[in-house]
C-alpha cells in the first residue's frame, strides 16, 4: 500500500481554485479600501465634533449673558464649524455617494444619515441662539445630541472594521472622544453650578457620574491605544491643568450641602477645564494620524500580497514538493476531519495557528517560501483565521460597551431608574458578587431575553 | 422663550441627507443579495456533503472487502458526487467569479478555496481507492477532511450573515449537518469494531465522544431551528431507526472489556445507522427550503421598502407634523446627548427599541405612517438597531462554538491532550464550579491571552 507522500501529482488544482484564491485576496483588498474610506470619514467627524464642542461652549456663555458676552468668539467658532462641516460633507459625498460605493455598511450609512439630519438643522439652532429664543440648557442639549450622533458614527466604524489593528485604534479613539465629550459636559454643568453660586446634591451626583464616565472611557482608551498615545495621555494626566481640575473637583464635592461660592470662580473653572480639553485634541490627532498611516499600509500590503500570489501561482507546477509535505488538504494530517483518539491533527493546527500578531512583512516572507500551491493556500487560510481571532479580541471592548448599555436600558425600564442609577446598580451588584461589571450585565440581558421569549 | 415645538421649519433637510438615507437602504439590499447568494451556495455545499458521505461509506466497504463488494454502489455514488460537484462549481463561478461580485467576504472565499482544492484531488483519491492502494482508514480520513472543509464553508456563511433570521437558520443547519457528520463517523467506527469482532476501551471512548458530540450539535440545532424543523427532528428521534441505534449503542458499551461479537452484526449496524442518517437528509431539506424562502423574502421586502422610501421622501415637505413631534434630532428628547439626572431620553429610547422581532410588513406599515422626513429616518435607524441587536443574540451560538474550540486547542497544547480529553476537562471543571461550559472556556482563553501578552 502506497503512502500519501508517494503520490506524484502534477498540476491537479483547477483553474477555479486558483481564481478563488485570487478572489479572496481581491475581496480582502476591497474590504481594506472600504475601511480606509471609513477612517478618512472618522477624521472629518472628529474635526466636526471638536468644532461643535467649542461652538457649544461659546453659545452657552453668549446665551447665559443674554448676548452680552462671547458674540465675537461664537461667530469665530461657528465659522470653524462651517468649515469642518463642508469638509465632512464633501468627503462623505465622494466616498459614499458614488455608484461604485453602494457596498458601504448599512449601519454606518444610517448613523451618518442621522448625524447629517442634525447638521442640516444647525442654521435653525444658531438662529434661535442668536435671537436669544433658546435657554442655555436647551442649546447645550441640542449640541450634545449632535455630538452623540457623530460619536455613534465613530462607534459604528469601529464596530464594522474588519482588521484587528485598525479596530483597536478606532476603539481607542472612540473611547477617548467619548471621555473628552464627558469632560466637556462636566465643564458645562460645573459652570452652571458656579454661575448659580451653589452646588446641590443632584448637581454633585451628576458631576461625579461624569467624572466616573471619563475614568471608564480613558481606561478603555489606555487598554487599546499604542504606547505613544498612552504616554501622551500620561503627560496630560500629570499636567497643571489636570492638577487644577482635580483641586476644583474636590472643592465642588465639599459644596454638596449647598454652601455658597463666589460666582467669579466660574471663569477659573471654565478656563482650567478648557485648557485640559484643548490638550486632549493633540492626543486625538496622534490617534487619527496612526489610523491614517495604518489604513494606508494595510491597503498597500494587500496589493503587494496580491501581486505576490499571482506570481507564485504562475510559477507552481506542483511537481516539486518532494519533501513529503502534502499537496492537498485530503492527505494533510494537520487538517481536521475524522474524530480519532490521537487527534494529532488539531495539535498541529494549533501550533501554526497560535502565532500571535502575524506581521504582514513576515507573512510575505512565509508566503514566498511556500513550495506548492497548497502551501500558499493553507498559508492564506491560516492568515485569515489569525486575523479573525485577533479581530474578535479587539472587538471585546465594543461588545462589552453594547452589553452594559443594554443592561442599563433594561434596569431603567424595569425599576424606573435614570441612567446613572442603573449604572450604579450594576456596579454595586458586581462588587457584592465579586464579579466583573460585564458579567453582571450579561446576566441581566440573559434574564430579560428569557423573559421576553416566554 | 420659544419651545422646540413652535419651530416652524420648512424643508430643512439637505439633498445629501436624503441621498444617504437611500444609500443606506441600497447598501442593505446589496448585503441581502450577497446573503441570498451565500444561501444558494450553502445548498449546493449540503448536496455535495451528502453525496460524499455516501461515497465515503461505499468506498470503505469496497476497500475493506479488497474490492469484492460495493463496486457497483461505489460507482453510482461517485456519479452522484460528480453531479453535485459540477452543480456546486457552476454556482460558485456564476456567483463569485464575476467582476461585479468582488465584494464577497474574504473569509467565505478562503474557505471555499480550501474546499475546492480538496475537490480537485478527488480523482486522485478515487484512483487510489480503485487500485486498492489506500487503507480504508486513510480513505475515510481523506473524505472526512473534505467534509470538514465543506462544513467550514457553511459555518463561515453563518458567521458572516448579517440578518438575524437567516443567521438562526444557518446556525441550525450547520449544527444539524455537523451532528449528521458525527453520526456518519460513528457508523464508520462502529463498522470497524464489528468487522474486527471486538470493541476495546479506546474504540468505545471514541464512539461515546461521537455520541456526545451529536447530542450537543442537535441540541444547538433545536435551540435555533423553527418549530417545523424541531417537530421533524422529534419524529426522527422517535423513529424505529433511532430506537434500534440506541439498542446497538448499549450493546457496544457493554463490550468495552473486549468480549467478542459476531461479525455479521456489522451489516445490521451499518443498515440501521444508514436508515437514521438518510432520514436526516429530509430535515436538511426542510432547513434549506426555509433558508431559500427567507432569503428571497428579505430581498423582496428590502426592494419594496426602498421604493416606499423614495415615494415618501418625495411627498415630504416637513410643513406638516404640527402635532409637536420634533423635526430634527437636535430637538428630539428621545435622542441621547447631555447626561442629566432625569434621563428621560434613554427610557423613551428603550421603549421604542425593545420591540422584539420587528416584522418587515409591520415595519412597512409604520414607515408609511411617518409624518415627517425625520420620523422616517428615525424609524429606519431604529430598524437597523433592532436588527443588529437580534443578530448579536443569533450569533451567540457561533461565538460560543469558537470559544470552546479555542479553549480546547489551548488545553490540548498545554497538557498534551487529545481533543476528546480536552473537551472532557472543560466539562468536568464546569461541573465542579457549577458554571457553564462557555464560561470555563472563556476563562481558559482569557488566561492564555494574558500569558501571551507578557
Amino acid at each position: 500500500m502506497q503512502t500519501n507522500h508517494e503520490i506524484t501529482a502534477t498540476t491537479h488544482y483547477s483553474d477555479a481554485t486558483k481564481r478563488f484564491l485570487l478572489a479572496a485576496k481581491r475581496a480582502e483588498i476591497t474590504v481594506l479600501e472600504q475601511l480606509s474610506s471609513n477612517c478618512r470619514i472618522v477624521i472629518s467627524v472628529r474635526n466636526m465634533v471638536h468644532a461643535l464642542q467649542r461652538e457649544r461652549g461659546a453659545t452657552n456663555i453668549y446665551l447665559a449673558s443674554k448676548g452680552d458676552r462671547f458674540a465675537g468668539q461664537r461667530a469665530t467658532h461657528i465659522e470653524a464649524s462651517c468649515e469642518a462641516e463642508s469638509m465632512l460633507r464633501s468627503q462623505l459625498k465622494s466616498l459614499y455617494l458614488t455608484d461604485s460605493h453602494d457596498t458601504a455598511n448599512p449601519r454606518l450609512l444610517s448613523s451618518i444619515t442621522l448625524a447629517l439630519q442634525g447638521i442640516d438643522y444647525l442654521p435653525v439652532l444658531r438662529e434661535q441662539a442668536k435671537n436669544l429664543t433658546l435657554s442655555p440648557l436647551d442649546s447645550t442639549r441640542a449640541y450634545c445630541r449632535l455630538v452623540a450622533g457623530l460619536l455613534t458614527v465613530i462607534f459604528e466604524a469601529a464596530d464594522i472594521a474588519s482588521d484587528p489593528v485598525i479596530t483597536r485604534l478606532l476603539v481607542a479613539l472612540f473611547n477617548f472622544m467619548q471621555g473628552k465629550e464627558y469632560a466637556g459636559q462636566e465643564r458645562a454643568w460645573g459652570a452652571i453650578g458656579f454661575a448659580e453660586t451653589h452646588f446641590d446634591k443632584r448637581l454633585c451626583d451628576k458631576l461625579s457620574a461624569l467624572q466616573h464616565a471619563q475614568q471608564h472611557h480613558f481606561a478603555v482608551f489606555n487598554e487599546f491605544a499604542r504606547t505613544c498615545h498612552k504616554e501622551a495621555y500620561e503627560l496630560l494626566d500629570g499636567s497643571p491643568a489636570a492638577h487644577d481640575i482635580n483641586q476644583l473637583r474636590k472643592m465642588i464635592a465639599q459644596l454638596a450641602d449647598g454652601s455658597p461660592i463666589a460666582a467669579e470662580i466660574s471663569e477659573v473653572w471654565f478656563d482650567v477645564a478648557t485648557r485640559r480639553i484643548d490638550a486632549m485634541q493633540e492626543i486625538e490627532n496622534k490617534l487619527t494620524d496612526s489610523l491614517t498611516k495604518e489604513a494606508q499600509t494595510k491597503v498597500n500590503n494587500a496589493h503587494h500580497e496580491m501581486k505576490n500570489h499571482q506570481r507564485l501561482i504562475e510559477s507552481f507546477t506542483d511537481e516539486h514538493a518532494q519533501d513529503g509535505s502534502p499537496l492537498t488538504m485530503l492527505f494533510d494530517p494537520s487538517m481536521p476531519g475524522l474524530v480519532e483518539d490521537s487527534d494529532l491533527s488539531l495539535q498541529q493546527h494549533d501550533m501554526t495557528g497560535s502565532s500571535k500578531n502575524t506581521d504582514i512583512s513576515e507573512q510575505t516572507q512565509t508566503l514566498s517560501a511556500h513550495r506548492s500551491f497548497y502551501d500558499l493556500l493553507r498559508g492564506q487560510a491560516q492568515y485569515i483565521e489569525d486575523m479573525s481571532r485577533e479581530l474578535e479580541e479587539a472587538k471585546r471592548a465594543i461588545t462589552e460597551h453594547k452589553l452594559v448599555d443594554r443592561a442599563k436600558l433594561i434596569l431603567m425600564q424595569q425599576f424606573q431608574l435614570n441612567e446613572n442609577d442603573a449604572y450604579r446598580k450594576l456596579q454595586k451588584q458586581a462588587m457584592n458578587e465579586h464579579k466583573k461589571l460585564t458579567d453582571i450585565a450579561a446576566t441581566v440581558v440573559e434574564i430579560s431575553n428569557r423573559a421576553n421569549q416566554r
Side-chain angles (χ1 to χ4, degrees), chain A residues 54-75 77-78 125-136 139-140 143 270:
Chain A
R54 291 174 153 223
E55 184 184 329
R56 175 176 65 191
T59 303
N60 239 342
I61 298 175
Y62 174 82
L63 287 170
S65 68
K66 311 264 180 245
D68 283 348
R69 301 183 53 220
F70 267 56
Q73 278 98 323
R74 189 177 162 256
H77 290 315
I78 288 176
L125 178 67
R126 287 176 186 141
E127 185 68 17
Q128 291 184 35
K130 189 184 155 208
N131 302 335
L132 303 172
T133 56
L134 197 70
S135 75
S139 163
T140 303
Y143 281 107
F270 200 85

Side-chain angles (χ1 to χ4, degrees), chain A residues 155-208:
Chain A
F155 183 79
E156 294 290 356
D159 198 13
I160 62 172
S162 53
D163 177 273
V165 177
I166 292 188
T167 300
R168 289 185 70 88
L169 283 170
L170 283 170
V171 167
L173 178 66
F174 169 76
N175 280 282
F176 193 83
M177 288 182 69
Q178 186 67 70
K180 182 179 168 225
E181 168 62 7
Y182 285 137
Q185 294 194 12
E186 185 193 10
R187 174 176 64 184
W189 282 119
I192 287 172
F194 283 115
E196 291 177 351
T197 69
H198 71 274
F199 287 83
D200 60 11
K201 170 113 187 25
R202 289 176 87 180
L203 191 48
C204 284
D205 278 355
K206 230 164 347 199
L207 287 168
S208 141

Side-chain angles (χ1 to χ4, degrees), chain A residues 139-155:
Chain A
S139 163
T140 303
R141 281 183 185 130
Y143 281 107
C144 285
R145 286 185 193 117
L146 184 50
V147 168
L150 289 163
L151 284 174
T152 302
V153 175
I154 296 187
F155 183 79

Side-chain angles (χ1 to χ4, degrees), chain A residues 83-132:
Chain A
E83 251 172 66
E85 177 186 333
S86 93
M87 182 66 104
L88 174 64
R89 281 187 184 276
S90 83
Q91 273 209 336
L92 283 174
K93 265 185 215 169
S94 70
L95 290 176
Y96 301 114
L97 293 185
T98 54
D99 284 342
S100 62
H101 278 87
D102 61 345
T103 58
N105 185 285
R107 273 166 56 202
L108 183 70
L109 291 177
S110 171
S111 67
I112 290 172
T113 315
L114 208 54
L116 270 183
Q117 205 268 349
I119 293 174
D120 286 343
Y121 275 81
L122 270 176
V124 178
L125 178 67
R126 287 176 186 141
E127 185 68 17
Q128 291 184 35
K130 189 184 155 208
N131 302 335
L132 303 172

